[in-house]
Amino acid sequence: MRALRIDPDATVTDVDLPEPDAHSAIRGIVGSLDAVDQGAYHRRAVLHIHGSGRKIGLPQNLAAWALASAWRGMTLYPLAGTIVVTGRTAIGDVTALDDDLVQHAESVAQSVRDTLAEWRTRPPASHEAAIGELLAYAARDVASSR
């Protein structure tokens, strides 16, 4: 089953999850033996997030956060650690991720990487300006790859 792994450094990797035991594989990828939260920020996708990631100090995942915020159409709470994105059926079951949603994730992650690189020489004026810039790029990437 096709899924994506989004790491805190904004790299996106294709993952082939085993059909009979996808949830176990997801737990292994996100590094949680028990608690994996599921965030449904898009009607056809689920983000699988370490349940205690922020609490135990996992690094922030800006690419997954920007993607989820763009899909939801609003600024969300921070996301931390490695995140797995799968497809979602109408009744909420995990399924393969559709190609258009893969494109969204890859485009947003590339924009996050490019923006962070640019900020090394031209830092944003404020935290709010940084959030606004990342979310504007993410919204553009999601809209242009529909």
Side-chain angles (χ1 to χ4, degrees):
M1 167 183 0
R2 185 179 193 186
L4 292 177
R5 171 186 174 141
I6 303 176
D7 287 301
D9 66 357
T11 58
V12 177
T13 308
D14 269 301
V15 176
D16 186 22
L17 297 174
E19 291 285 341
D21 201 13
H23 292 288
S24 178
I26 290 167
R27 281 193 305 275
I29 293 168
V30 302
S32 178
L33 298 176
D34 47 21
V36 175
D37 293 339
Q38 294 184 345
Y41 306 106
H42 189 284
R43 62 182 167 77
R44 293 184 289 124
V46 176
L47 274 67
H48 303 268
I49 306 160
H50 191 295
S52 303
R54 290 184 57 214
K55 184 177 182 180
I56 64 171
L58 293 179
Q60 204 170 359
N61 192 323
L62 290 176
W65 166 81
L67 176 66
S69 294
W71 277 346
R72 182 61 77 157
M74 61 187 286
T75 305
L76 298 173
Y77 47 84
L79 302 177
T82 297
I83 292 172
V84 174
V85 185
T86 63
R88 177 175 179 257
T89 66
I91 60 170
D93 292 335
V94 172
T95 190
L97 191 61
D98 292 334
D99 290 341
D100 62 326
L101 301 182
V102 169
Q103 180 61 41
H104 291 179
E106 290 172 344
S107 296
V108 168
Q110 184 63 53
S111 289
V112 168
R113 289 191 301 271
D114 292 347
T115 303
L116 293 176
E118 185 178 324
W119 285 351
R120 288 187 197 106
T121 58
R122 183 202 51 85
S126 67
H127 179 72
E128 291 77 18
I131 289 171
E133 187 174 354
L134 282 176
L135 291 180
Y137 293 144
R140 174 205 62 200
D141 293 339
V142 167
S144 66
S145 62
R146 284 189 179 172

